[in-house]
Amino acid sequence: MDAQAAATPLELGRIASKFMLPGLGIMVSTMSIIWTWGQRRLARRFIRRASTSRVEAANLLRRVIKVGVTLNLVGLLLSVLGSQYIVGTLVAKSMSSFVGFG
């Protein structure tokens, strides 16, 4: 077996781990967009139907907004952590390959 072929899965794992957090952040952001679309549909349903009491409507809206805010904050956290990981890796590579004056 070739030494280069043996190192390939390890290298692939390092690359995949680098983009895992930003990828999860993008997935959660997509879920947040879909959830926001559902909020719009819920608001239209409240406008069309007068059968929903104010207490039921307030409870539904409170739950929907809480889930939406949680999705947005988790997506933001994952994206920021992922970008810090990528930038930290790039800075470490540039610092390790630095050639001094001389």
Side-chain angles (χ1 to χ4, degrees):
M1 241 169 116
D2 192 14
Q4 186 179 14
T8 305
L10 179 64
E11 197 63 35
L12 182 63
R14 292 166 86 193
I15 292 172
S17 68
K18 191 181 299 183
F19 295 107
M20 182 130 156
L21 285 174
L24 287 173
I26 291 171
M27 286 176 47
V28 172
S29 295
T30 304
M31 289 171 42
S32 174
I33 291 170
I34 293 169
W35 190 263
T36 303
W37 181 66
Q39 287 177 353
R40 185 184 61 114
R41 290 185 63 209
L42 181 67
R44 284 189 179 178
R45 189 174 78 187
F46 286 154
I47 291 172
R48 272 186 278 151
R49 296 183 193 162
S51 63
T52 307
S53 71
R54 286 184 175 226
V55 174
E56 291 175 10
N59 287 334
L60 276 172
L61 283 175
R62 192 174 295 119
R63 183 183 63 84
V64 166
I65 290 172
K66 185 193 296 186
V67 171
V69 167
T70 304
L71 277 173
N72 285 324
L73 289 177
V74 167
L76 179 69
L77 178 70
L78 288 173
S79 296
V80 167
L81 288 177
S83 65
Q84 285 181 352
Y85 182 76
I86 291 172
V87 169
T89 303
L90 291 174
V91 168
K93 283 183 181 179
S94 68
M95 296 292 278
S96 66
S97 65
F98 179 71
V99 178
F101 298 108

